[in-house]
Amino acid sequence: AETDSKGIDGLNIDLENISEEGAPAYLEFIRELAVECRKRNIAVSTDTLVPMEYSSYLDREEQGAVTDYVVVMCYDEHYKGSKEAGSVASLSYVKDGIDKMKKEVAPEKLIAGIPFYTRLWQTIDSGEPASNIMDMTEAAAYVSEHHMNESWDEKTSQNYAELNDDDGYWQIWLEDKDSIAAKMEAIQAAGIAGVAEWRL
């Protein structure tokens, strides 16, 4: 009823941390939702992790069969709790995520999700790094205000900045017009349905 009254075009389902035991119920929910959405001419899409062996039980092939689109979340390559600092979404990670998904979901149903955020990493001595999330504007301002050394990183296709001070070693892999342009070029070359963006 809510979807009818609001006049929306589609629903995107972003349910994460689904256990292996819960996967069959999740897939049945998606099947039934897709049927109801089709009756109302409403598109339905699901968000899913970049394919890894440990998450194969999510049955991305079935998600692609019953929905209009599947969005592969090509980010969190490095995340809170990672043992080393790194990019949230290097270009190779995005490309690899798309390539793996194309083996399970038809390209015309596949959408690549990219981040409009990054992480500022701080490492003290030889300890594990800690990080804080920043959107693109916050990250650019931080790099400028703290006079961090910035240069293009070919490995990630991102501008990278770092700084050593009394509080530790600071690193950031920026998402900006240059990194997004590189990702968009790869997405267009992959011949998939489109792109989605997300930020915390």
Side-chain angles (χ1 to χ4, degrees):
E2 279 294 302
T3 55
D4 294 336
S5 66
K6 302 297 184 191
I8 67 169
D9 295 316
L11 292 174
N12 174 251
I13 309 304
D14 184 14
L15 295 176
E16 300 179 32
N17 300 318
I18 298 165
S19 67
E20 188 166 359
E21 294 74 23
Y26 169 70
L27 289 168
E28 185 57 27
F29 164 68
I30 295 300
R31 289 186 196 100
E32 294 182 22
L33 178 67
V35 169
E36 292 304 314
C37 285
R38 219 156 269 127
K39 289 177 185 176
R40 294 166 170 80
N41 199 31
I42 294 171
V44 63
S45 62
T46 55
D47 294 345
T48 191
L49 302 169
V50 167
M52 300 289 182
E53 188 61 37
Y54 68 83
S55 63
S56 60
Y57 64 85
L58 292 172
D59 201 344
R60 287 167 281 262
E61 188 172 351
E62 176 67 4
Q63 290 183 49
V66 301
T67 65
D68 297 291
Y69 301 102
V70 178
V71 181
V72 57
M73 299 183 290
C74 297
Y75 40 83
D76 284 343
E77 178 180 3
H78 293 86
Y79 49 88
K80 182 178 181 180
S82 287
K83 301 298 183 185
E84 62 179 13
S87 170
V88 168
S90 66
L91 182 60
S92 62
Y93 186 78
V94 173
K95 287 180 174 180
D96 187 54
I98 293 170
D99 288 344
K100 286 179 177 177
M101 281 295 293
K102 285 171 74 173
K103 295 174 183 175
E104 301 180 41
V105 176
E108 62 270 18
K109 285 192 166 191
L110 181 57
I111 294 174
I114 59 173
F116 278 2
Y117 71 95
T118 188
R119 287 185 175 274
L120 173 66
W121 297 88
Q122 178 190 26
T123 304
I124 300 174
D125 299 326
S126 59
E128 289 185 4
S131 67
N132 290 315
I133 286 178
M134 291 184 167
D135 68 28
M136 295 162 75
T137 302
E138 291 169 332
Y142 189 94
V143 168
S144 177
E145 290 166 9
H146 291 82
H147 307 290
M148 296 178 75
N149 296 318
E150 182 181 339
S151 62
W152 182 252
D153 177 25
E154 291 288 347
K155 184 177 178 181
T156 60
S157 289
Q158 290 175 274
N159 284 304
Y160 166 78
E162 64 181 15
L163 175 70
N164 258 312
D165 64 15
D166 293 339
D167 294 321
Y169 178 43
W170 302 85
Q171 297 171 277
I172 190 166
W173 285 261
L174 295 163
E175 291 294 353
D176 55 23
K177 63 181 179 62
D178 298 324
S179 67
I180 298 300
K183 290 176 175 64
M184 287 302 301
E185 186 176 334
I187 290 166
Q188 290 173 322
I192 60 175
V195 61
E197 304 83 25
W198 191 77
R199 74 179 175 108
L200 288 166

